[in-house]
Amino acid sequence: MLILSRNVIRDLDLSLGLEERCKIPSRLVSCHALEHLKLSGCIINVPRFFQGFKLLRTLWLEFFDLSGISIGNLISSCPLLEDLALSIEQPGCLHILAPNLRQLNIWGEFHDLCLETPKLASGSICVVSYGDYRQFSVAKTGKKNNFTQTLGSLHNVQKLALIGQFIDYLAVGAVPKNLPMNFNRLIELSVHVCCYDQNQTASALCLFQNAPNLRVLHIEFMDYWGDDHSQVQIFWKLEATETCLFKSLEIVKVGYFQSDESSFRRTESLVEFSELVQSTAPVLGKLNIIDFEDAVVFCTKLENFSKLSKKAKIAVVNRWN
């Protein structure tokens, strides 16, 4: 690292073991010319005199331990940052202030998320923890909901994936019917929704209603966390409205992740949502059902639903195609 810091290095990609993380010498922060930094399996100690990577455009950190500075402060000290990828486990709020960020990928555990990324064009957020954010994000901060703080600055986002348990995070507190902003540039959206949780469904519908130009939608239904099959209700409203919910939607992929061999509710959710799409999507071209076992019966049932789009084609596809 001493040699690198003396040789005006611009790109550094250092991938170490995942079981035992390796301590990176603090000389790393002396590499002032860095434009692209990727570290995996590292312990990073940032000294007090660190003034930031002023030229850094790409920052990827996974399986890392950071000391001397918070991850939020590290990101905000990189004013030109355009591409950020984090695999993270962090208590408290993950605050990302990056005015020039265009691509964001987050995978991991955190209690709360604040994004100030007005130029973001593509983002993927996967939450793998469960429970802690329910107590932290609303109860401890006094917020009514998590939508505005997390997604409120994403005025330019075109492609967004909210997967794992992120919709559950958004569903904490009062789920708004309408947001103070629209995602007018959002054309592609991927979401995971628990098919037993009405708040998650309401959160997903809130996203759909505020993305008027959405063209591609990939939705996966989940059933986890010991949900009670006997207490489920019908969540998707199947009545077409005067203003079509999916007026620009052209391609839909809908499916479910299996946690057991059979789930009536999962199938029911898939049918309900498919009917909703067909009744409110006037320019729909493809409705693809992912990995459904009884394909013939299911497709026949969907074909009998009323459609706004006469050109819509229904097909069962493999997940990996």
Side-chain angles (χ1 to χ4, degrees), residues 40-99:
S40 178
C42 298
I43 300 173
I44 311 163
N45 183 19
V46 180
R48 293 182 179 180
F49 61 81
F50 178 65
Q51 297 297 314
F53 294 115
K54 302 305 181 184
L55 302 179
L56 198 68
R57 298 181 181 276
T58 301
L59 177 62
W60 291 12
L61 299 175
E62 61 178 4
F63 307 109
F64 69 97
D65 293 323
L66 180 66
S67 61
I69 191 174
S70 70
I71 185 63
N73 286 337
L74 174 62
I75 293 168
S76 63
S77 67
C78 306
L80 300 182
L81 194 64
E82 296 179 352
D83 184 354
L84 175 64
L86 296 175
S87 173
I88 190 169
E89 296 179 14
Q90 174 179 303
C93 181
L94 176 58
H95 187 186
I96 297 178
L97 173 59

Side-chain angles (χ1 to χ4, degrees), residues 216-239:
V216 180
L217 174 62
H218 181 182
I219 183 169
E220 296 264 2
F221 292 103
M222 323 282 281
D223 61 344
Y224 38 64
W225 312 327
D227 299 292
D228 187 352
H229 291 232
S230 65
Q231 299 299 318
V232 298
Q233 301 176 15
I234 301 299
F235 296 146
W236 301 108
K237 302 298 183 182
L238 301 179
E239 297 178 1

Side-chain angles (χ1 to χ4, degrees), residues 137-139 141-148 169-176:
S137 55
V138 171
T141 62
K143 294 182 297 180
K144 293 182 178 180
N145 61 71
N146 289 327
F147 270 88
T148 303
Y169 163 78
L170 285 181
V172 175
V175 178

Side-chain angles (χ1 to χ4, degrees), residues 75-298:
I75 293 168
S76 63
S77 67
C78 306
L80 300 182
L81 194 64
E82 296 179 352
D83 184 354
L84 175 64
L86 296 175
S87 173
I88 190 169
E89 296 179 14
Q90 174 179 303
C93 181
L94 176 58
H95 187 186
I96 297 178
L97 173 59
N100 289 300
L101 197 68
R102 298 184 180 279
Q103 183 164 321
L104 173 66
N105 289 281
I106 303 174
W107 183 94
E109 303 180 30
F110 45 83
H111 292 160
D112 203 7
L113 179 63
C114 179
L115 297 181
E116 295 184 67
T117 54
K119 293 184 179 180
L120 193 72
S122 177
S124 176
I125 306 172
C126 178
V127 178
V128 296
S129 63
Y130 171 67
D132 288 340
Y133 52 77
R134 289 177 176 269
Q135 286 74 40
F136 180 90
S137 55
V138 171
K140 292 188 178 182
T141 62
K143 294 182 297 180
K144 293 182 178 180
N145 61 71
N146 289 327
F147 270 88
T148 303
Q149 174 180 283
T150 306
L151 305 179
S153 72
L154 306 187
H155 307 294
N156 293 297
V157 70
Q158 300 171 29
K159 184 177 180 180
L160 194 58
L162 305 177
I163 56 179
Q165 296 164 21
F166 189 76
I167 290 293
D168 187 53
Y169 163 78
L170 285 181
V172 175
V175 178
K177 291 184 178 180
N178 293 294
L179 298 177
M181 71 294 182
N182 279 342
F183 305 105
N184 290 322
R185 297 192 177 185
L186 185 62
I187 60 175
E188 184 172 343
L189 176 64
S190 297
V191 291
H192 289 173
V193 181
C194 178
C195 59
Y196 301 113
D197 191 323
Q198 192 165 4
N199 288 332
Q200 288 194 42
T201 301
S203 297
L205 285 173
C206 181
L207 285 173
F208 303 153
Q209 290 167 345
N210 288 272
N213 299 310
L214 190 65
R215 298 177 186 174
V216 180
L217 174 62
H218 181 182
I219 183 169
E220 296 264 2
F221 292 103
M222 323 282 281
D223 61 344
Y224 38 64
W225 312 327
D227 299 292
D228 187 352
H229 291 232
S230 65
Q231 299 299 318
V232 298
Q233 301 176 15
I234 301 299
F235 296 146
W236 301 108
K237 302 298 183 182
L238 301 179
E239 297 178 1
T241 59
E242 293 182 3
T243 57
C244 297
L245 180 63
F246 295 116
K247 65 179 182 180
S248 301
L249 198 61
E250 298 173 1
I251 300 172
V252 177
K253 286 186 177 182
V254 58
Y256 56 72
F257 283 117
Q258 288 186 315
S259 61
D260 51 43
E261 293 184 357
S262 62
S263 171
F264 173 75
R265 180 59 208 159
R266 263 198 323 253
T267 304
E268 196 174 47
S269 293
L270 193 149
V271 172
E272 292 166 5
F273 185 77
S274 299
E275 185 175 356
L276 173 65
V277 168
Q278 290 188 98
S279 63
T280 60
V283 295
L284 184 68
K286 294 181 180 179
L287 174 57
N288 291 338
I289 313 301
I290 303 171
D291 289 345
F292 196 80
E293 293 92 340
D294 196 356
V296 175
V297 174
F298 187 76

